[in-house]
Amino acid sequence: MPHKVFTRGFSLLAGVILASASLASLVHAQAPEVFKVGILTDMSGPYSGMGGPGSMVAARMAIEDCMKAECKGMKIALLSADHQNKADIGASKAREWLDRDKVDAIADLTNSSVALAVQRLIREKGGIAMYSGPATTVLTNAECAPNGFHWMFDTYSQAAGAAAALTKMGQKSWYFITVDYAFGQSLEKDASDVVKRLGGTVVGSVRHPLNASDLSSFLLQAQNSKAQVIGLANGGQDTVNAIKQARSFGIGTKDQRLAALLVFLSDVHALGLTDAQGLVYADGFYWDFDNDTRSFSKRFEALNKGNKPTMVHAGVYSSVYHYLKAAAATKSHDANVISKKMREIPIHDAVMRNASIRPDGRVIHDMYLYQVKTPAESKGPWDYLKLLSTIPADQAFKPMDASCSLTKEKS
């Protein structure tokens, strides 16, 4: 379990990288002083492009930036683990971090099933979780927690963007191809609700396993439905595979539109503009939005093998930075104390706009509706998106749900 301990000036304690065998002695000797952040993500699977190693880069950047300002003098350890997109592995690692290693906060948590397992764990054991990778809205309604924060996007924010825009354009009959677990089911439901509310219809759906390499049979079922829109309620490599295979079959080029409800910049990069052009989707962060995002992304790219950050990476940066600012302000390791402070202090950083934390733990902020450029429109590497509209923070996310106990006294 590699981890780094950052001190003032970014030097490292006890060498550079400490092996897991030495972690217990470090915890025993320095637990009251060291704030520990764990990045629990998909390091090599279908979501590793949008999270994975890039999330570690983003967390390191957050630590370094905080230590130049609010966190001067603090000692901060950064750990990482691969949950392999399995809830039991993710929960086991989180339990080990909380019980043995005294980790204070866990971030990223790409994969909704893993996130829900960790949310239940932190309600029981304490600690703080900050979710920038998972999409299920259950994290801020039925499974909400006072120490759980859903940072960047969710299934509603994606549906409210692309599904609403296309339905309003007259694309009113939909068929969904959905990854068969909590994330996909939530994305399909939220998109379906938006479509129906705007006068559209859902003519059918089909579900596929996570990390499916061959989606041809599902795409052909969708094509035969004659729906105006084939909605892809999946993410990461599954979305990339679906779009590539759809293009090869000629799906989504004539009377049917292909709509990917959750797309990341890494997906567009993997597809290339020839296959991705014309896709319309909602995103919480784009590197070329303004001078601050360009500066942040230039730093990130230099540290991440020339790859620009996704909104997951941006969310990891923002959430880790905000947590550390709250920890510095309270000088406490108590999750309840820090969670309260996180809700009190403003979210202000290079990547978020008009952001705040609701009582249910949902971080609301401006979202953006983008369209992927054609090859002719692109002016250079990573120049992939054009902004269609801004979705204000108070409209981009689902209103607080009564099923969350944290909203009772606030509603």
Side-chain angles (χ1 to χ4, degrees):
M1 186 194 314
H3 70 288
K4 292 184 179 181
V5 181
F6 295 79
T7 63
R8 189 171 184 175
F10 319 134
S11 61
L12 303 179
L13 290 179
V16 180
I17 299 177
L18 302 177
S20 58
S22 65
L23 180 58
S25 61
L26 174 71
V27 170
H28 178 76
Q30 297 177 331
E33 299 178 14
V34 180
F35 287 85
K36 300 183 179 66
V37 177
I39 303 300
L40 188 56
T41 187
D42 175 4
M43 284 293 187
S44 57
Y47 303 142
S48 57
M50 68 187 197
S55 291
M56 284 295 290
V57 170
R60 290 190 189 103
M61 290 173 62
I63 292 169
E64 292 177 356
D65 287 351
C66 193
M67 291 180 66
K68 294 174 184 175
E70 299 90 348
C71 300
K72 284 183 178 178
M74 288 177 62
K75 298 173 183 177
I76 303 165
L78 181 61
L79 300 83
S80 69
D82 185 351
H83 56 52
Q84 301 175 45
N85 291 297
K86 296 178 180 178
D88 57 340
I89 291 176
S92 176
K93 176 53 65 175
R95 185 183 298 275
E96 176 186 303
W97 278 354
L98 294 170
D99 286 348
R100 190 194 74 179
D101 301 336
K102 308 305 177 187
V103 167
D104 297 280
I106 304 173
D108 187 336
L109 292 146
T110 298
N111 185 295
S112 292
S113 295
V114 172
L116 289 169
V118 171
Q119 183 89 315
R120 295 169 191 132
L121 190 64
I122 64 164
R123 279 204 306 267
E124 170 194 344
K125 293 185 170 293
I128 290 173
M130 301 171 294
Y131 308 98
S132 64
T136 179
T137 55
V138 177
L139 288 165
T140 52
N141 50 63
E143 295 284 354
C144 68
N147 49 340
F149 301 91
H150 203 169
W151 214 264
M152 182 51 75
F153 68 96
D154 58 30
T155 53
Y156 183 90
S157 71
Q158 303 314 113
L166 291 172
T167 305
K168 288 175 181 177
M169 289 167 55
Q171 308 288 301
K172 293 196 170 184
S173 64
W174 286 65
Y175 187 99
F176 290 96
I177 298 176
T178 303
V179 64
D180 193 13
Y181 77 103
F183 151 62
Q185 295 158 20
S186 182
L187 186 56
E188 179 187 327
K189 180 183 184 305
D190 284 336
S192 297
D193 289 347
V194 169
V195 169
K196 293 173 183 176
R197 188 172 70 245
L198 294 174
T201 59
V202 176
V203 301
S205 66
V206 65
R207 292 181 177 175
H208 69 82
L210 177 65
N211 208 15
S213 59
D214 184 2
L215 294 163
S216 56
S217 64
F218 306 106
L219 286 162
L220 291 172
Q221 288 180 61
Q223 183 181 45
N224 291 334
S225 74
K226 307 301 182 183
Q228 291 173 293
V229 182
I230 299 173
L232 300 179
N234 50 20
Q237 192 59 45
D238 286 331
T239 298
V240 171
N241 289 341
I243 294 172
K244 284 183 175 180
Q245 291 170 32
R247 298 302 194 208
S248 69
F249 295 141
I251 297 173
T253 58
K254 295 180 180 179
D255 296 329
Q256 284 181 320
R257 178 186 285 268
L258 196 65
L261 297 176
L262 184 58
V263 178
F264 298 89
L265 190 67
S266 54
D267 302 330
V268 177
H269 186 67
L271 283 163
L273 292 181
T274 299
D275 284 336
Q277 62 182 307
L279 286 175
V280 174
Y281 70 96
D283 206 319
F285 173 86
Y286 180 50
W287 71 269
D288 201 22
F289 182 77
D290 61 21
N291 287 336
D292 284 343
T293 59
R294 284 188 283 273
S295 177
F296 168 82
S297 299
K298 184 177 181 180
R299 289 174 56 205
F300 180 95
E301 184 178 15
L303 297 168
N304 195 43
K305 300 179 180 179
N307 294 309
K308 294 290 190 186
T310 68
M311 65 173 161
V312 173
H313 302 143
V316 170
Y317 173 86
S318 178
S319 62
V320 171
Y321 196 174
H322 193 71
Y323 158 75
L324 291 172
K325 287 191 285 189
T330 60
K331 296 180 174 59
S332 173
H333 289 265
D334 188 305
N336 293 327
V337 172
I338 296 177
S339 294
K340 181 180 178 182
K341 181 58 67 173
M342 289 176 68
R343 286 179 166 86
E344 291 174 355
I345 61 177
I347 298 174
H348 181 72
D349 54 50
V351 304
M352 302 285 272
R353 301 294 176 269
N354 299 317
S356 60
I357 302 175
R358 297 192 316 202
D360 60 356
R362 173 69 260 175
V363 176
I364 63 170
H365 54 93
D366 289 349
M367 293 288 292
Y368 309 97
L369 193 65
Y370 285 104
Q371 182 170 337
V372 179
K373 292 181 177 182
T374 67
E377 290 173 319
S378 177
K379 297 178 181 178
W382 295 98
D383 179 27
Y384 294 155
L385 307 181
K386 54 185 176 184
L387 180 65
L388 299 181
S389 63
T390 297
I391 308 169
D394 60 354
Q395 299 175 25
F397 296 91
K398 189 175 183 178
M400 288 194 293
D401 195 297
S403 67
C404 174
S405 60
L406 303 173
T407 68
K408 304 297 185 186
E409 58 191 49
K410 303 289 183 181
S411 58

